[in-house]
Amino acid sequence: MRFIQLVDDLGATRVGVVLADGQQVRLLDAVDSTYALALRAIAAGQDLEAAAAPLLGGELLEYAALLVAGRVLSPLHHPDPAHCLVTGTGLTHLGSAAARNAMHQQLSQQAEAPLTDSMRMFQAGLQGGIPTNGQPGAQPEWFYKGDGAIVVAPGAALPSPAFALDGGEEPELVGLYVIGPDGTPHRLGFAIGNEFSDHVTERQNYLLLAHSKLRACAIGPELRSGALPADLQGSSRIRRGDVVIWEKPFVTGEANMCHSLANLEYHHFKYPGHRRPGDVHLHFFGTATLSFADNVRAEEGDVFEIELPALGAALVNPLRAESAGFALGGVGEL
């Protein structure tokens, strides 16, 4: 099934299922969020689709109109944003090291330059990113983006803070999870994500990666439940007014990755703090496609568009520059 969260005609949050033709959305009764539906499914020992089936109501809405009106929300949230953890793993895709290495590699006249830390991490994934004999594979790069407050809805602007040196897209597959009462992580499904980051800050020094990731992001519009194709093909582009200033194919899925999804999930959820009952996790699985790697610098007003047809409608977000929200010396004393 293809689930969305939306604002209905009365201003209430609802859950809808996108019909097979992609034109209409059927609303669910008795639940007001995907999170509530997930808790219902966990309590009943069902998957998300089985829990949703008896709740399908008769009310239909036009999907395109909902998107244009800005009434489609991110497909999963926690009622308390502090209980939603937004994270990711990098250097997970075949070819992703080339873009990262180009950002970090210093100019050298040596015939054989030493491997960068990024390339060593990527090689570890190539050699051992898929578990064998029931044992975990190599650890991936891992990073924290923020809590649920940083997630903007499909169509909403991605804010770039005043101190940022860059604001660029990262088209990615995202896993959406709810932790059950016994601490078991439950994957609801997958969505398209824009793991918006500051690549100029990262390029200065790879130890600044953590700073470069503390930014807003976007997820959705849809949550696709059930099995995921191994080879996912899409595209990522940037529009400036009526002109597409950059576009490239975007591929993901396990056929295009050096880590399995199971390995990435293990290395995220192995930490007890990531298995706190009731929490929501939104986890980005990495990319190999960046406009920044092609020396493209996004500007305020540019629009990021990420298409992955197997996961439904495209994720579209404009870029907005923010004014300064905090100044040096802004910490008070008690």
Short mmCIF file of all heavy atoms in Angstrom, two decimals, residues 222-279:
data_model
loop_
_atom_site.label_atom_id
_atom_site.label_comp_id
_atom_site.label_asym_id
_atom_site.label_seq_id
_atom_site.Cartn_x
_atom_site.Cartn_y
_atom_site.Cartn_z
N GLU A 222 4.96 9.81 0.14
CA GLU A 222 4.31 8.54 0.43
C GLU A 222 5.18 7.60 1.24
O GLU A 222 6.41 7.64 1.18
CB GLU A 222 3.90 7.85 -0.88
CG GLU A 222 3.00 8.72 -1.76
CD GLU A 222 2.65 8.06 -3.07
OE1 GLU A 222 2.68 6.81 -3.15
OE2 GLU A 222 2.33 8.79 -4.03
N LEU A 223 4.52 6.75 2.00
CA LEU A 223 5.15 5.63 2.68
C LEU A 223 4.73 4.38 1.93
O LEU A 223 3.54 4.06 1.87
CB LEU A 223 4.70 5.57 4.14
CG LEU A 223 5.28 4.51 5.08
CD1 LEU A 223 4.97 4.87 6.53
CD2 LEU A 223 4.75 3.10 4.81
N ARG A 224 5.69 3.67 1.35
CA ARG A 224 5.39 2.43 0.65
C ARG A 224 5.64 1.27 1.60
O ARG A 224 6.75 1.06 2.08
CB ARG A 224 6.27 2.27 -0.60
CG ARG A 224 6.09 0.89 -1.25
CD ARG A 224 6.98 0.68 -2.45
NE ARG A 224 6.99 -0.73 -2.80
CZ ARG A 224 7.03 -1.20 -4.04
NH1 ARG A 224 7.05 -0.37 -5.05
NH2 ARG A 224 7.06 -2.50 -4.27
N SER A 225 4.59 0.50 1.88
CA SER A 225 4.73 -0.67 2.73
C SER A 225 5.04 -1.90 1.88
O SER A 225 4.95 -1.87 0.66
CB SER A 225 3.45 -0.91 3.53
OG SER A 225 2.35 -1.16 2.65
N GLY A 226 5.43 -2.99 2.54
CA GLY A 226 5.71 -4.23 1.84
C GLY A 226 7.11 -4.31 1.28
O GLY A 226 7.97 -3.47 1.55
N ALA A 227 7.35 -5.35 0.48
CA ALA A 227 8.68 -5.61 -0.07
C ALA A 227 9.09 -4.49 -1.02
O ALA A 227 8.27 -3.90 -1.72
CB ALA A 227 8.69 -6.95 -0.79
N LEU A 228 10.38 -4.23 -1.04
CA LEU A 228 10.93 -3.16 -1.86
C LEU A 228 11.73 -3.75 -3.02
O LEU A 228 12.52 -4.68 -2.81
CB LEU A 228 11.84 -2.28 -1.00
CG LEU A 228 12.33 -0.96 -1.58
CD1 LEU A 228 11.16 0.01 -1.70
CD2 LEU A 228 13.42 -0.37 -0.70
N PRO A 229 11.56 -3.26 -4.25
CA PRO A 229 12.39 -3.76 -5.35
C PRO A 229 13.87 -3.53 -5.06
O PRO A 229 14.25 -2.53 -4.45
CB PRO A 229 11.93 -2.93 -6.54
CG PRO A 229 10.55 -2.46 -6.19
CD PRO A 229 10.56 -2.28 -4.70
N ALA A 230 14.71 -4.46 -5.50
CA ALA A 230 16.15 -4.33 -5.25
C ALA A 230 16.78 -3.21 -6.08
O ALA A 230 17.77 -2.61 -5.67
CB ALA A 230 16.86 -5.65 -5.55
N ASP A 231 16.20 -2.93 -7.24
CA ASP A 231 16.75 -1.91 -8.14
C ASP A 231 15.73 -0.79 -8.29
O ASP A 231 14.69 -0.97 -8.92
CB ASP A 231 17.06 -2.53 -9.50
CG ASP A 231 17.70 -1.55 -10.47
OD1 ASP A 231 18.23 -0.52 -10.00
OD2 ASP A 231 17.66 -1.80 -11.69
N LEU A 232 16.03 0.35 -7.70
CA LEU A 232 15.13 1.50 -7.76
C LEU A 232 15.76 2.58 -8.62
O LEU A 232 16.88 3.02 -8.35
CB LEU A 232 14.86 2.03 -6.35
CG LEU A 232 14.11 1.08 -5.42
CD1 LEU A 232 14.18 1.58 -3.98
CD2 LEU A 232 12.65 0.96 -5.86
N GLN A 233 15.04 3.01 -9.65
CA GLN A 233 15.56 3.97 -10.61
C GLN A 233 14.72 5.23 -10.59
O GLN A 233 13.50 5.18 -10.65
CB GLN A 233 15.52 3.37 -12.03
CG GLN A 233 16.22 2.04 -12.17
CD GLN A 233 17.72 2.19 -12.41
OE1 GLN A 233 18.18 3.25 -12.84
NE2 GLN A 233 18.46 1.14 -12.17
N GLY A 234 15.37 6.37 -10.48
CA GLY A 234 14.66 7.63 -10.49
C GLY A 234 15.54 8.74 -11.01
O GLY A 234 16.51 8.51 -11.73
N SER A 235 15.22 9.97 -10.62
CA SER A 235 16.02 11.11 -11.06
C SER A 235 15.96 12.20 -10.00
O SER A 235 15.03 12.28 -9.20
CB SER A 235 15.52 11.66 -12.40
OG SER A 235 14.17 12.10 -12.29
N SER A 236 16.99 13.03 -10.01
CA SER A 236 17.08 14.18 -9.11
C SER A 236 17.39 15.40 -9.95
O SER A 236 18.25 15.34 -10.83
CB SER A 236 18.17 13.94 -8.07
OG SER A 236 18.30 15.03 -7.18
N ARG A 237 16.69 16.51 -9.69
CA ARG A 237 16.91 17.72 -10.49
C ARG A 237 16.73 18.96 -9.64
O ARG A 237 16.14 18.92 -8.55
CB ARG A 237 15.98 17.76 -11.70
CG ARG A 237 14.54 18.02 -11.39
CD ARG A 237 13.68 18.01 -12.65
NE ARG A 237 13.69 16.69 -13.26
CZ ARG A 237 12.82 15.72 -12.93
NH1 ARG A 237 11.90 15.94 -12.01
NH2 ARG A 237 12.87 14.55 -13.50
N ILE A 238 17.25 20.07 -10.16
CA ILE A 238 17.08 21.38 -9.53
C ILE A 238 16.50 22.32 -10.58
O ILE A 238 17.04 22.45 -11.68
CB ILE A 238 18.40 21.94 -8.99
CG1 ILE A 238 19.02 20.99 -7.96
CG2 ILE A 238 18.18 23.32 -8.37
CD1 ILE A 238 20.39 21.44 -7.48
N ARG A 239 15.41 23.00 -10.21
CA ARG A 239 14.82 24.01 -11.08
C ARG A 239 15.11 25.40 -10.54
O ARG A 239 15.01 25.64 -9.35
CB ARG A 239 13.30 23.82 -11.18
CG ARG A 239 12.86 22.56 -11.90
CD ARG A 239 11.35 22.55 -12.11
NE ARG A 239 10.91 21.28 -12.67
CZ ARG A 239 10.89 21.00 -13.97
NH1 ARG A 239 11.28 21.94 -14.84
NH2 ARG A 239 10.49 19.82 -14.41
N ARG A 240 15.47 26.28 -11.42
CA ARG A 240 15.65 27.70 -11.10
C ARG A 240 14.69 28.47 -11.99
O ARG A 240 14.93 28.65 -13.18
CB ARG A 240 17.08 28.14 -11.31
CG ARG A 240 17.38 29.59 -10.91
CD ARG A 240 18.89 29.81 -10.86
NE ARG A 240 19.52 29.00 -9.81
CZ ARG A 240 20.83 28.77 -9.73
NH1 ARG A 240 21.64 29.25 -10.66
NH2 ARG A 240 21.31 28.03 -8.73
N GLY A 241 13.55 28.85 -11.40
CA GLY A 241 12.49 29.41 -12.22
C GLY A 241 11.93 28.33 -13.13
O GLY A 241 11.56 27.25 -12.68
N ASP A 242 11.89 28.60 -14.41
CA ASP A 242 11.36 27.64 -15.38
C ASP A 242 12.45 26.76 -16.00
O ASP A 242 12.16 25.95 -16.88
CB ASP A 242 10.63 28.37 -16.51
CG ASP A 242 9.40 29.11 -16.00
OD1 ASP A 242 8.78 28.62 -15.03
OD2 ASP A 242 9.07 30.18 -16.57
N VAL A 243 13.69 26.92 -15.52
CA VAL A 243 14.82 26.22 -16.15
C VAL A 243 15.35 25.12 -15.22
O VAL A 243 15.54 25.36 -14.02
CB VAL A 243 15.95 27.21 -16.48
CG1 VAL A 243 17.15 26.49 -17.10
CG2 VAL A 243 15.44 28.30 -17.41
N VAL A 244 15.57 23.93 -15.78
CA VAL A 244 16.25 22.87 -15.04
C VAL A 244 17.75 23.12 -15.15
O VAL A 244 18.33 23.01 -16.23
CB VAL A 244 15.89 21.47 -15.60
CG1 VAL A 244 16.70 20.39 -14.89
CG2 VAL A 244 14.40 21.20 -15.44
N ILE A 245 18.38 23.49 -14.04
CA ILE A 245 19.81 23.82 -14.09
C ILE A 245 20.70 22.61 -13.86
O ILE A 245 21.91 22.66 -14.12
CB ILE A 245 20.16 24.93 -13.07
CG1 ILE A 245 19.94 24.43 -11.63
CG2 ILE A 245 19.36 26.19 -13.36
CD1 ILE A 245 20.57 25.34 -10.59
N TRP A 246 20.13 21.51 -13.36
CA TRP A 246 20.91 20.29 -13.14
C TRP A 246 19.95 19.12 -13.04
O TRP A 246 18.87 19.23 -12.45
CB TRP A 246 21.74 20.40 -11.86
CG TRP A 246 22.50 19.15 -11.50
CD1 TRP A 246 23.74 18.78 -11.94
CD2 TRP A 246 22.07 18.10 -10.64
NE1 TRP A 246 24.09 17.57 -11.41
CE2 TRP A 246 23.08 17.14 -10.59
CE3 TRP A 246 20.91 17.89 -9.87
CZ2 TRP A 246 22.98 15.97 -9.83
CZ3 TRP A 246 20.79 16.74 -9.12
CH2 TRP A 246 21.83 15.78 -9.10
N GLU A 247 20.34 17.98 -13.60
CA GLU A 247 19.53 16.77 -13.50
C GLU A 247 20.41 15.56 -13.70
O GLU A 247 21.31 15.57 -14.54
CB GLU A 247 18.40 16.77 -14.54
CG GLU A 247 17.48 15.57 -14.44
CD GLU A 247 16.25 15.69 -15.32
OE1 GLU A 247 16.26 16.54 -16.24
OE2 GLU A 247 15.27 14.96 -15.08
N LYS A 248 20.17 14.52 -12.91
CA LYS A 248 20.92 13.27 -13.04
C LYS A 248 20.04 12.10 -12.63
O LYS A 248 19.15 12.25 -11.78
CB LYS A 248 22.17 13.30 -12.14
CG LYS A 248 23.47 13.44 -12.88
CD LYS A 248 24.66 13.26 -11.99
CE LYS A 248 25.93 13.30 -12.82
NZ LYS A 248 27.15 13.19 -11.97
N PRO A 249 20.32 10.91 -13.20
CA PRO A 249 19.63 9.72 -12.72
C PRO A 249 19.97 9.46 -11.26
O PRO A 249 21.08 9.75 -10.81
CB PRO A 249 20.17 8.61 -13.62
CG PRO A 249 20.71 9.30 -14.82
CD PRO A 249 21.21 10.62 -14.33
N PHE A 250 19.02 8.93 -10.54
CA PHE A 250 19.17 8.60 -9.12
C PHE A 250 18.81 7.13 -8.95
O PHE A 250 17.70 6.72 -9.29
CB PHE A 250 18.27 9.52 -8.29
CG PHE A 250 17.98 9.02 -6.90
CD1 PHE A 250 18.99 8.58 -6.06
CD2 PHE A 250 16.68 9.02 -6.42
CE1 PHE A 250 18.71 8.14 -4.78
CE2 PHE A 250 16.38 8.60 -5.13
CZ PHE A 250 17.40 8.15 -4.31
N VAL A 251 19.76 6.33 -8.48
CA VAL A 251 19.50 4.91 -8.29
C VAL A 251 19.75 4.55 -6.83
O VAL A 251 20.65 5.09 -6.18
CB VAL A 251 20.36 4.02 -9.21
CG1 VAL A 251 20.04 4.31 -10.66
CG2 VAL A 251 21.84 4.20 -8.93
N THR A 252 18.94 3.65 -6.32
CA THR A 252 19.13 3.15 -4.97
C THR A 252 18.54 1.75 -4.90
O THR A 252 18.27 1.13 -5.92
CB THR A 252 18.49 4.11 -3.94
OG1 THR A 252 18.84 3.69 -2.62
CG2 THR A 252 16.99 4.18 -4.08
N GLY A 253 18.36 1.23 -3.70
CA GLY A 253 17.96 -0.17 -3.54
C GLY A 253 19.18 -1.05 -3.43
O GLY A 253 20.30 -0.67 -3.81
N GLU A 254 19.01 -2.24 -2.90
CA GLU A 254 20.15 -3.10 -2.57
C GLU A 254 20.99 -3.49 -3.78
O GLU A 254 22.18 -3.77 -3.63
CB GLU A 254 19.67 -4.33 -1.82
CG GLU A 254 19.19 -4.03 -0.41
CD GLU A 254 18.89 -5.25 0.41
OE1 GLU A 254 18.39 -6.24 -0.17
OE2 GLU A 254 19.14 -5.25 1.62
N ALA A 255 20.40 -3.51 -4.98
CA ALA A 255 21.17 -3.84 -6.17
C ALA A 255 22.22 -2.78 -6.48
O ALA A 255 23.17 -3.04 -7.23
CB ALA A 255 20.24 -4.03 -7.37
N ASN A 256 22.04 -1.58 -5.90
CA ASN A 256 22.96 -0.48 -6.16
C ASN A 256 23.74 -0.07 -4.92
O ASN A 256 24.33 1.02 -4.89
CB ASN A 256 22.15 0.72 -6.68
CG ASN A 256 21.38 0.40 -7.94
OD1 ASN A 256 21.96 0.12 -8.98
ND2 ASN A 256 20.06 0.40 -7.84
N MET A 257 23.77 -0.94 -3.92
CA MET A 257 24.39 -0.61 -2.65
C MET A 257 25.46 -1.64 -2.28
O MET A 257 25.37 -2.81 -2.68
CB MET A 257 23.33 -0.56 -1.54
CG MET A 257 22.26 0.50 -1.76
SD MET A 257 20.88 0.41 -0.59
CE MET A 257 21.72 0.83 0.95
N CYS A 258 26.45 -1.21 -1.50
CA CYS A 258 27.46 -2.14 -1.02
C CYS A 258 27.12 -2.67 0.37
O CYS A 258 27.76 -3.61 0.85
CB CYS A 258 28.85 -1.51 -1.02
SG CYS A 258 28.98 0.08 -0.18
N HIS A 259 26.14 -2.08 1.02
CA HIS A 259 25.60 -2.60 2.28
C HIS A 259 24.19 -3.11 2.04
O HIS A 259 23.43 -2.51 1.27
CB HIS A 259 25.53 -1.50 3.35
CG HIS A 259 26.85 -1.10 3.92
ND1 HIS A 259 27.35 -1.65 5.08
CD2 HIS A 259 27.76 -0.19 3.50
CE1 HIS A 259 28.52 -1.09 5.36
NE2 HIS A 259 28.80 -0.20 4.41
N SER A 260 23.81 -4.17 2.74
CA SER A 260 22.41 -4.58 2.71
C SER A 260 21.62 -3.70 3.67
O SER A 260 22.17 -3.14 4.63
CB SER A 260 22.26 -6.05 3.11
OG SER A 260 22.57 -6.23 4.49
N LEU A 261 20.33 -3.58 3.43
CA LEU A 261 19.49 -2.80 4.34
C LEU A 261 19.48 -3.42 5.73
O LEU A 261 19.49 -2.71 6.74
CB LEU A 261 18.06 -2.72 3.78
CG LEU A 261 17.91 -1.94 2.47
CD1 LEU A 261 16.47 -1.99 1.99
CD2 LEU A 261 18.36 -0.50 2.62
N ALA A 262 19.50 -4.75 5.78
CA ALA A 262 19.51 -5.43 7.08
C ALA A 262 20.76 -5.07 7.87
O ALA A 262 20.71 -4.89 9.10
CB ALA A 262 19.41 -6.94 6.90
N ASN A 263 21.89 -4.93 7.21
CA ASN A 263 23.13 -4.57 7.90
C ASN A 263 23.06 -3.14 8.42
O ASN A 263 23.48 -2.85 9.55
CB ASN A 263 24.32 -4.73 6.96
CG ASN A 263 25.65 -4.65 7.69
OD1 ASN A 263 25.89 -5.37 8.66
ND2 ASN A 263 26.52 -3.75 7.25
N LEU A 264 22.53 -2.24 7.60
CA LEU A 264 22.41 -0.85 8.03
C LEU A 264 21.44 -0.73 9.20
O LEU A 264 21.67 0.04 10.15
CB LEU A 264 21.96 0.02 6.86
CG LEU A 264 22.90 0.05 5.65
CD1 LEU A 264 22.32 0.90 4.54
CD2 LEU A 264 24.28 0.55 6.04
N GLU A 265 20.34 -1.48 9.13
CA GLU A 265 19.38 -1.46 10.24
C GLU A 265 20.00 -2.02 11.51
O GLU A 265 19.80 -1.47 12.61
CB GLU A 265 18.13 -2.24 9.87
CG GLU A 265 17.28 -1.56 8.81
CD GLU A 265 16.11 -2.40 8.36
OE1 GLU A 265 16.20 -3.64 8.38
OE2 GLU A 265 15.08 -1.82 7.96
N TYR A 266 20.75 -3.10 11.40
CA TYR A 266 21.39 -3.68 12.59
C TYR A 266 22.30 -2.67 13.27
O TYR A 266 22.24 -2.48 14.50
CB TYR A 266 22.19 -4.93 12.22
CG TYR A 266 23.09 -5.35 13.36
CD1 TYR A 266 22.58 -5.99 14.49
CD2 TYR A 266 24.46 -5.04 13.36
CE1 TYR A 266 23.40 -6.33 15.56
CE2 TYR A 266 25.28 -5.37 14.42
CZ TYR A 266 24.75 -6.02 15.52
OH TYR A 266 25.55 -6.33 16.58
N HIS A 267 23.14 -2.00 12.48
CA HIS A 267 24.12 -1.09 13.09
C HIS A 267 23.48 0.19 13.62
O HIS A 267 24.12 0.92 14.39
CB HIS A 267 25.22 -0.78 12.09
CG HIS A 267 26.19 -1.90 11.90
ND1 HIS A 267 27.01 -2.35 12.92
CD2 HIS A 267 26.44 -2.70 10.83
CE1 HIS A 267 27.75 -3.36 12.48
NE2 HIS A 267 27.42 -3.59 11.22
N HIS A 268 22.26 0.46 13.25
CA HIS A 268 21.54 1.57 13.86
C HIS A 268 20.82 1.13 15.13
O HIS A 268 20.93 1.78 16.18
CB HIS A 268 20.52 2.16 12.88
CG HIS A 268 19.68 3.25 13.47
ND1 HIS A 268 20.19 4.49 13.79
CD2 HIS A 268 18.37 3.28 13.82
CE1 HIS A 268 19.23 5.24 14.30
NE2 HIS A 268 18.12 4.54 14.34
N PHE A 269 20.12 0.03 15.06
CA PHE A 269 19.27 -0.39 16.18
C PHE A 269 20.00 -1.25 17.22
O PHE A 269 19.41 -1.63 18.22
CB PHE A 269 18.03 -1.11 15.67
CG PHE A 269 17.04 -0.20 14.99
CD1 PHE A 269 16.80 -0.30 13.62
CD2 PHE A 269 16.37 0.78 15.72
CE1 PHE A 269 15.90 0.54 13.00
CE2 PHE A 269 15.46 1.63 15.09
CZ PHE A 269 15.22 1.51 13.74
N LYS A 270 21.28 -1.53 17.01
CA LYS A 270 22.01 -2.31 18.02
C LYS A 270 22.20 -1.52 19.31
O LYS A 270 22.44 -2.11 20.37
CB LYS A 270 23.37 -2.75 17.46
CG LYS A 270 24.36 -1.61 17.22
CD LYS A 270 25.65 -2.12 16.56
CE LYS A 270 26.65 -0.99 16.33
NZ LYS A 270 27.85 -1.46 15.61
N TYR A 271 22.07 -0.21 19.25
CA TYR A 271 22.23 0.62 20.44
C TYR A 271 20.93 0.66 21.23
O TYR A 271 19.87 0.99 20.67
CB TYR A 271 22.65 2.04 20.04
CG TYR A 271 23.97 2.07 19.32
CD1 TYR A 271 24.03 2.24 17.94
CD2 TYR A 271 25.16 1.90 20.01
CE1 TYR A 271 25.24 2.26 17.27
CE2 TYR A 271 26.39 1.92 19.35
CZ TYR A 271 26.42 2.09 17.98
OH TYR A 271 27.63 2.09 17.32
N PRO A 272 20.96 0.33 22.53
CA PRO A 272 19.72 0.30 23.32
C PRO A 272 18.96 1.62 23.29
O PRO A 272 17.72 1.63 23.30
CB PRO A 272 20.22 -0.02 24.74
CG PRO A 272 21.50 -0.75 24.54
CD PRO A 272 22.12 -0.12 23.32
N GLY A 273 19.68 2.74 23.23
CA GLY A 273 19.01 4.03 23.17
C GLY A 273 18.20 4.25 21.92
O GLY A 273 17.36 5.16 21.86
N HIS A 274 18.43 3.43 20.90
CA HIS A 274 17.68 3.50 19.65
C HIS A 274 16.51 2.52 19.63
O HIS A 274 15.89 2.34 18.59
CB HIS A 274 18.60 3.25 18.45
CG HIS A 274 19.62 4.32 18.24
ND1 HIS A 274 20.58 4.25 17.26
CD2 HIS A 274 19.83 5.50 18.88
CE1 HIS A 274 21.34 5.33 17.31
NE2 HIS A 274 20.91 6.10 18.30
N ARG A 275 16.25 1.89 20.76
CA ARG A 275 15.13 0.95 20.84
C ARG A 275 14.21 1.32 22.02
O ARG A 275 13.71 0.46 22.71
CB ARG A 275 15.65 -0.48 20.99
CG ARG A 275 16.56 -0.94 19.86
CD ARG A 275 16.77 -2.45 19.85
NE ARG A 275 17.26 -2.96 21.13
CZ ARG A 275 18.54 -3.00 21.49
NH1 ARG A 275 19.48 -2.54 20.67
NH2 ARG A 275 18.91 -3.51 22.66
N ARG A 276 13.99 2.62 22.20
CA ARG A 276 13.14 3.08 23.28
C ARG A 276 11.67 2.96 22.86
O ARG A 276 11.26 3.52 21.84
CB ARG A 276 13.48 4.54 23.62
CG ARG A 276 12.76 5.10 24.83
CD ARG A 276 13.36 6.42 25.24
NE ARG A 276 13.32 7.39 24.15
CZ ARG A 276 13.89 8.59 24.23
NH1 ARG A 276 14.55 8.94 25.32
NH2 ARG A 276 13.81 9.43 23.21
N PRO A 277 10.87 2.21 23.61
CA PRO A 277 9.47 1.96 23.21
C PRO A 277 8.71 3.24 22.89
O PRO A 277 8.80 4.25 23.61
CB PRO A 277 8.89 1.26 24.44
CG PRO A 277 10.06 0.55 25.05
CD PRO A 277 11.21 1.49 24.85
N GLY A 278 8.00 3.19 21.77
CA GLY A 278 7.17 4.31 21.35
C GLY A 278 7.84 5.30 20.43
O GLY A 278 7.15 6.12 19.80
N ASP A 279 9.16 5.29 20.34
CA ASP A 279 9.85 6.28 19.52
C ASP A 279 9.66 6.00 18.03
O ASP A 279 9.43 4.86 17.60
CB ASP A 279 11.35 6.28 19.83
CG ASP A 279 11.68 7.07 21.08
OD1 ASP A 279 10.74 7.55 21.75
OD2 ASP A 279 12.88 7.20 21.39
#
